[in-house]
Amino acid sequence: MTAAVPVSRIAPQRSRAEALVADHLHAIDTPLASLRNASGQIARWGVTLAQRLSAGGRLLVAGNGGSAAEAQHLTAELVGRFDGNRPAYSAIALTSETSSLTAIGNDYGFEDVFARQVEAHGRRGDILLLLSTSGRSPNLLTAAHAARRSHLTSWAITGAAPNPLARAVDDALVLEGASPSIQEVELVAIHALCRAFDDAVGFGGGACES
């Protein structure tokens, strides 16, 4: 039988884990402060997005890794619902088209996996939103350039500026802090954008459904 580990030997590890968790939660304060300072910008994005989508336009969203998941989260809120029942709006997560991603990556290279889709789906006046904690992902940069060629409005949520993506888009929401914390606050930014969007289309108000 394995000898029991003395409590005195377990407690320091538990204290270290608690300290790490506390530090992680504290780190969210920095990008969250950036987001609070950008509340007016998010509100403007929500109004613009509502105007474009209500007029028949669409939102294209892309990101890598955890930001890819956030891209799908946002489009689900718009196609489905965020805050009560309302009409569906056109939003496409370029990260979820797996056959297109693999075909484009194989035939053209990974840097073009989003740009090629922007060229295919984007129309003048549509909006492209790019999510990047570094602001340096080559495939997002090529997507931003494709948006400009196709006359889309391009936005980005990025980490600390200056960075190439913030310079390549029409408007950037810049969040200070470490990458994991920025990625977590991306979701807060997305929900804030949905809140502003729902209000602008006349369906804001209640508790979040997602």
Side-chain angles (χ1 to χ4, degrees):
M1 180 178 295
T2 304
V5 178
V7 174
S8 60
R9 291 176 56 188
I10 297 175
Q13 282 299 109
R14 182 179 299 154
S15 297
R16 174 177 168 78
E18 290 172 356
L20 288 171
V21 168
D23 288 345
H24 179 86
L25 297 176
H26 180 71
I28 298 172
D29 292 345
T30 300
L32 197 55
S34 301
L35 188 60
R36 288 194 181 98
N37 291 334
S39 59
Q41 180 181 10
I42 297 169
R44 290 191 298 273
W45 281 13
V47 171
T48 300
L49 187 61
Q51 292 169 342
R52 301 285 181 89
L53 270 56
S54 295
R58 65 168 59 96
L59 173 69
L60 307 179
V61 194
N64 294 295
S67 294
E70 302 294 12
Q72 289 181 251
H73 188 124
L74 174 55
T75 57
E77 301 284 25
L78 295 172
V79 176
R81 66 179 190 175
F82 171 70
D83 194 357
N85 289 321
R86 56 151 166 71
Y89 291 90
S90 181
I92 302 172
L94 304 182
T95 56
S96 62
E97 294 287 339
T98 54
S99 292
S100 293
L101 284 172
T102 53
I104 296 165
N106 184 64
D107 295 340
Y108 296 93
F110 191 67
E111 289 188 9
D112 286 325
V113 293
F114 301 135
R116 189 80 175 176
Q117 294 185 75
V118 170
E119 293 170 0
H121 301 303
R123 301 292 182 267
R124 182 184 291 268
D126 287 349
I127 296 173
L128 173 68
L129 175 59
L130 302 170
L131 309 176
S132 174
T133 60
S134 69
R136 301 179 184 282
S137 301
N139 57 3
L140 299 181
L141 288 168
T142 56
H145 298 322
R148 190 170 298 279
R149 291 194 301 270
S150 298
H151 305 288
L152 278 71
T153 296
S154 57
W155 297 339
I157 300 176
T158 79
N163 64 66
L165 185 58
R167 290 193 295 268
V169 296
D170 296 315
D171 197 12
L173 168 58
V174 175
L175 302 175
E176 302 289 337
S179 289
S181 301
I182 292 170
Q183 199 157 82
E184 289 154 3
V185 174
E186 276 181 358
L187 177 56
V188 183
I190 284 169
H191 276 181
L193 178 61
C194 289
R195 180 72 66 195
F197 175 88
D198 274 16
D199 182 69
V201 296
F203 288 87
C208 173
E209 296 287 341
S210 302

PDB file of all heavy atoms in Angstrom, residues 5 20 31 49 61 66 71 104 117 137 166 179 185 193:
ATOM      1  N   VAL A   5       0.623  10.737   1.834  1.00  0.00           N
ATOM      2  CA  VAL A   5       1.481  11.924   1.774  1.00  0.00           C
ATOM      3  C   VAL A   5       1.072  12.867   2.898  1.00  0.00           C
ATOM      4  O   VAL A   5      -0.106  13.203   3.030  1.00  0.00           O
ATOM      5  CB  VAL A   5       1.328  12.640   0.412  1.00  0.00           C
ATOM      6  CG1 VAL A   5       2.193  13.895   0.365  1.00  0.00           C
ATOM      7  CG2 VAL A   5       1.685  11.693  -0.721  1.00  0.00           C
ATOM      8  N   LEU A  20      -1.153  31.179  -8.255  1.00  0.00           N
ATOM      9  CA  LEU A  20      -1.110  31.255  -9.715  1.00  0.00           C
ATOM     10  C   LEU A  20      -2.473  31.634 -10.286  1.00  0.00           C
ATOM     11  O   LEU A  20      -2.572  32.437 -11.221  1.00  0.00           O
ATOM     12  CB  LEU A  20      -0.650  29.916 -10.301  1.00  0.00           C
ATOM     13  CG  LEU A  20       0.831  29.575 -10.091  1.00  0.00           C
ATOM     14  CD1 LEU A  20       1.104  28.134 -10.511  1.00  0.00           C
ATOM     15  CD2 LEU A  20       1.713  30.537 -10.875  1.00  0.00           C
ATOM     16  N   PRO A  31      -6.113  44.166 -19.791  1.00  0.00           N
ATOM     17  CA  PRO A  31      -6.882  44.304 -21.040  1.00  0.00           C
ATOM     18  C   PRO A  31      -8.321  44.749 -20.796  1.00  0.00           C
ATOM     19  O   PRO A  31      -8.913  45.425 -21.648  1.00  0.00           O
ATOM     20  CB  PRO A  31      -6.828  42.898 -21.653  1.00  0.00           C
ATOM     21  CG  PRO A  31      -6.515  41.988 -20.524  1.00  0.00           C
ATOM     22  CD  PRO A  31      -5.665  42.779 -19.586  1.00  0.00           C
ATOM     23  N   LEU A  49     -22.283  48.093 -37.605  1.00  0.00           N
ATOM     24  CA  LEU A  49     -22.590  46.707 -37.952  1.00  0.00           C
ATOM     25  C   LEU A  49     -24.089  46.520 -38.152  1.00  0.00           C
ATOM     26  O   LEU A  49     -24.525  45.845 -39.097  1.00  0.00           O
ATOM     27  CB  LEU A  49     -22.074  45.782 -36.847  1.00  0.00           C
ATOM     28  CG  LEU A  49     -22.166  44.269 -37.103  1.00  0.00           C
ATOM     29  CD1 LEU A  49     -21.332  43.883 -38.327  1.00  0.00           C
ATOM     30  CD2 LEU A  49     -21.692  43.490 -35.876  1.00  0.00           C
ATOM     31  N   VAL A  61     -15.597  37.004 -40.141  1.00  0.00           N
ATOM     32  CA  VAL A  61     -14.747  37.045 -38.944  1.00  0.00           C
ATOM     33  C   VAL A  61     -13.695  35.946 -39.035  1.00  0.00           C
ATOM     34  O   VAL A  61     -13.992  34.832 -39.495  1.00  0.00           O
ATOM     35  CB  VAL A  61     -15.566  36.847 -37.648  1.00  0.00           C
ATOM     36  CG1 VAL A  61     -14.735  37.243 -36.433  1.00  0.00           C
ATOM     37  CG2 VAL A  61     -16.865  37.617 -37.681  1.00  0.00           C
ATOM     38  N   GLY A  66      -7.497  30.093 -30.190  1.00  0.00           N
ATOM     39  CA  GLY A  66      -8.601  30.527 -29.349  1.00  0.00           C
ATOM     40  C   GLY A  66      -9.398  31.642 -29.990  1.00  0.00           C
ATOM     41  O   GLY A  66     -10.620  31.742 -29.809  1.00  0.00           O
ATOM     42  N   ALA A  71     -14.242  33.831 -32.987  1.00  0.00           N
ATOM     43  CA  ALA A  71     -14.858  34.216 -34.261  1.00  0.00           C
ATOM     44  C   ALA A  71     -16.166  33.468 -34.465  1.00  0.00           C
ATOM     45  O   ALA A  71     -17.189  34.047 -34.846  1.00  0.00           O
ATOM     46  CB  ALA A  71     -13.884  33.934 -35.414  1.00  0.00           C
ATOM     47  N   ILE A 104      -7.358  25.513 -49.548  1.00  0.00           N
ATOM     48  CA  ILE A 104      -6.599  26.740 -49.803  1.00  0.00           C
ATOM     49  C   ILE A 104      -5.191  26.623 -49.232  1.00  0.00           C
ATOM     50  O   ILE A 104      -4.208  27.013 -49.871  1.00  0.00           O
ATOM     51  CB  ILE A 104      -7.318  27.957 -49.214  1.00  0.00           C
ATOM     52  CG1 ILE A 104      -8.666  28.164 -49.904  1.00  0.00           C
ATOM     53  CG2 ILE A 104      -6.461  29.221 -49.353  1.00  0.00           C
ATOM     54  CD1 ILE A 104      -9.598  29.112 -49.172  1.00  0.00           C
ATOM     55  N   GLN A 117     -10.984  33.441 -48.935  1.00  0.00           N
ATOM     56  CA  GLN A 117     -12.402  33.450 -48.575  1.00  0.00           C
ATOM     57  C   GLN A 117     -12.973  34.867 -48.571  1.00  0.00           C
ATOM     58  O   GLN A 117     -14.146  35.075 -48.919  1.00  0.00           O
ATOM     59  CB  GLN A 117     -12.602  32.799 -47.204  1.00  0.00           C
ATOM     60  CG  GLN A 117     -12.282  31.310 -47.182  1.00  0.00           C
ATOM     61  CD  GLN A 117     -12.621  30.700 -45.836  1.00  0.00           C
ATOM     62  OE1 GLN A 117     -13.789  30.486 -45.520  1.00  0.00           O
ATOM     63  NE2 GLN A 117     -11.599  30.429 -45.036  1.00  0.00           N
ATOM     64  N   SER A 137      -0.200  37.919 -37.121  1.00  0.00           N
ATOM     65  CA  SER A 137      -0.449  36.668 -37.840  1.00  0.00           C
ATOM     66  C   SER A 137      -0.477  36.929 -39.347  1.00  0.00           C
ATOM     67  O   SER A 137      -1.303  37.715 -39.828  1.00  0.00           O
ATOM     68  CB  SER A 137      -1.786  36.064 -37.401  1.00  0.00           C
ATOM     69  OG  SER A 137      -1.787  35.803 -36.015  1.00  0.00           O
ATOM     70  N   ALA A 166      -2.995  46.168 -36.742  1.00  0.00           N
ATOM     71  CA  ALA A 166      -3.659  47.418 -36.382  1.00  0.00           C
ATOM     72  C   ALA A 166      -3.432  48.484 -37.453  1.00  0.00           C
ATOM     73  O   ALA A 166      -4.307  49.316 -37.708  1.00  0.00           O
ATOM     74  CB  ALA A 166      -3.156  47.912 -35.027  1.00  0.00           C
ATOM     75  N   SER A 179      -1.051  37.702 -23.743  1.00  0.00           N
ATOM     76  CA  SER A 179      -1.900  37.054 -24.748  1.00  0.00           C
ATOM     77  C   SER A 179      -3.058  36.254 -24.158  1.00  0.00           C
ATOM     78  O   SER A 179      -4.196  36.382 -24.636  1.00  0.00           O
ATOM     79  CB  SER A 179      -1.045  36.149 -25.647  1.00  0.00           C
ATOM     80  OG  SER A 179      -0.236  36.933 -26.500  1.00  0.00           O
ATOM     81  N   VAL A 185     -10.463  38.445 -22.738  1.00  0.00           N
ATOM     82  CA  VAL A 185     -11.218  39.696 -22.822  1.00  0.00           C
ATOM     83  C   VAL A 185     -11.820  39.886 -24.213  1.00  0.00           C
ATOM     84  O   VAL A 185     -12.776  40.640 -24.372  1.00  0.00           O
ATOM     85  CB  VAL A 185     -10.329  40.880 -22.391  1.00  0.00           C
ATOM     86  CG1 VAL A 185     -11.022  42.221 -22.590  1.00  0.00           C
ATOM     87  CG2 VAL A 185      -9.954  40.724 -20.907  1.00  0.00           C
ATOM     88  N   LEU A 193     -20.035  44.121 -28.101  1.00  0.00           N
ATOM     89  CA  LEU A 193     -20.410  44.463 -29.464  1.00  0.00           C
ATOM     90  C   LEU A 193     -21.818  43.965 -29.783  1.00  0.00           C
ATOM     91  O   LEU A 193     -22.618  44.687 -30.392  1.00  0.00           O
ATOM     92  CB  LEU A 193     -19.399  43.854 -30.443  1.00  0.00           C
ATOM     93  CG  LEU A 193     -19.661  44.074 -31.936  1.00  0.00           C
ATOM     94  CD1 LEU A 193     -19.666  45.560 -32.282  1.00  0.00           C
ATOM     95  CD2 LEU A 193     -18.612  43.335 -32.767  1.00  0.00           C
TER      96      LEU A 193
END
